[in-house]
Amino acid sequence: MRSPYDLEISETCPGCRFCAERLFRNLPASTLHAFDAIKSLSLYPKGATLFVEGQQPRGVFVLCAGRVKLTESSPEGKTVIVRLAEPGEVLGLSATISGEPYHLTAETIEPCQADFVRRDDFLRYLREQPEVCLRVIEMLSEILRAAHTQIRSFGKAHSAAERLARLLLCWGERMGDSTQEGIHLKLPLTHQEIAQMIGASRETVSRLLGELRNQQIISLNGSGLLIRDKDALLAKAGH
């Protein structure tokens, strides 16, 4: 399984991680203590909302444990899941820097722990810590690159079957455990939420998963999934 701090982006895994370890790596103790002085640690239950699309930015959240789904509303009023955030990511960064409203909604999909830093405190911290400011600029560049990669990756997928295969490969890379049987992972989303992520209906997702199972490309056991034939799944993804 990949490290939660691995920032490599591949064609099959268009998401990326903007991790706190990268933000603070090898910085003086005084810089770290200054951050500790402005953050507040909170625990959130499953289904808690950290911030809402269109809301004025209150600050940033450094995700310490758990996963968060990031969603936006389509022009048709549907909810689209953009990606999942994992431990180490800094959420709400671009809105906090620009002062523009959050362009996504962040909701926990399991119990989470996160550090929160108020916008005024975070901006003052960046002004006082130039090296951290440069690293934040790098992170914003990563956000743009990840968005471009995701558009390019899913843009190449002409069918829901291809998009689903790419998503499963992405999850396998990010959160799967490789064994002799294949890649084991726990599906982090329901069939309905997967549908919101790939632009399909819940019925389509259930049917496609069933077809992959019948073709012995994957195995399903509740929320557990085993990628038995990665090469076949890559072919389904158009690779």
Side-chain angles (χ1 to χ4, degrees), residues 196-209:
Q196 292 174 343
M197 199 163 191
I198 67 172
S201 67
R202 181 189 60 78
E203 293 77 12
T204 296
V205 169
S206 297
R207 175 178 58 80
L208 292 173
L209 287 172

Side-chain angles (χ1 to χ4, degrees), residues 25-237:
R25 185 183 298 135
N26 299 325
L27 291 179
S30 58
T31 300
L32 302 179
H33 292 157
F35 184 79
D36 288 340
I38 62 174
K39 73 178 185 181
S40 58
L41 178 65
S42 296
L43 301 177
Y44 300 90
K46 177 181 178 180
T49 300
L50 303 184
F51 52 81
V52 177
E53 179 181 1
Q55 177 187 30
Q56 289 299 313
R58 298 185 295 116
V60 297
F61 295 81
V62 180
L63 189 59
C64 305
R67 292 192 180 98
V68 171
K69 67 178 179 180
L70 299 170
T71 65
E72 65 179 344
S73 300
S74 71
E76 296 78 23
K78 297 181 179 180
T79 298
V80 178
I81 298 178
V82 177
R83 65 182 183 87
L84 299 183
E86 298 185 28
E89 294 198 37
V90 182
L91 306 178
L93 182 60
S94 60
T96 297
I97 296 294
S98 68
E100 297 180 355
Y102 293 116
H103 64 282
L104 299 173
T105 295
E107 180 184 342
T108 62
I109 60 172
E110 58 191 39
C112 291
Q113 177 178 318
D115 288 328
F116 174 71
V117 181
R118 293 176 58 254
R119 181 171 184 261
D120 290 347
D121 291 336
F122 188 67
L123 294 179
R124 183 174 62 253
Y125 178 71
L126 294 183
R127 287 193 294 269
E128 296 172 351
Q129 307 291 341
E131 188 170 353
V132 177
C133 187
L134 289 175
R135 294 189 184 185
V136 166
I137 293 172
E138 291 176 357
M139 288 185 176
L140 292 173
S141 297
E142 291 283 356
I143 291 173
L144 292 175
R145 185 164 73 95
H148 172 73
T149 303
Q150 180 164 338
I151 292 171
R152 183 179 62 184
S153 178
F154 279 158
K156 292 178 180 178
H158 301 295
S159 67
E162 288 186 28
R163 294 193 293 274
L164 177 61
R166 288 174 182 241
L167 183 62
L168 294 180
L169 288 165
C170 170
W171 285 347
E173 290 184 16
R174 294 180 65 175
M175 60 187 77
D177 290 314
S178 295
T179 69
Q180 291 183 343
E181 296 177 304
I183 302 173
H184 286 270
L185 66 123
K186 181 178 180 181
L187 291 176
L189 299 176
T190 65
H191 288 193
Q192 178 61 43
E193 290 171 322
I194 293 173
Q196 292 174 343
M197 199 163 191
I198 67 172
S201 67
R202 181 189 60 78
E203 293 77 12
T204 296
V205 169
S206 297
R207 175 178 58 80
L208 292 173
L209 287 172
E211 291 176 358
L212 292 174
R213 180 188 57 206
N214 293 338
Q215 295 165 10
Q216 298 187 350
I217 296 174
I218 66 170
S219 294
L220 292 167
N221 182 14
S223 62
L225 183 142
L226 170 67
I227 300 176
R228 302 177 61 184
D229 191 338
K230 183 178 179 181
D231 289 339
L233 193 57
L234 281 166
K236 293 285 187 182

Side-chain angles (χ1 to χ4, degrees), residues 18-30:
F18 317 107
C19 65
E21 182 185 4
R22 184 183 181 193
L23 185 61
F24 298 112
R25 185 183 298 135
N26 299 325
L27 291 179
S30 58

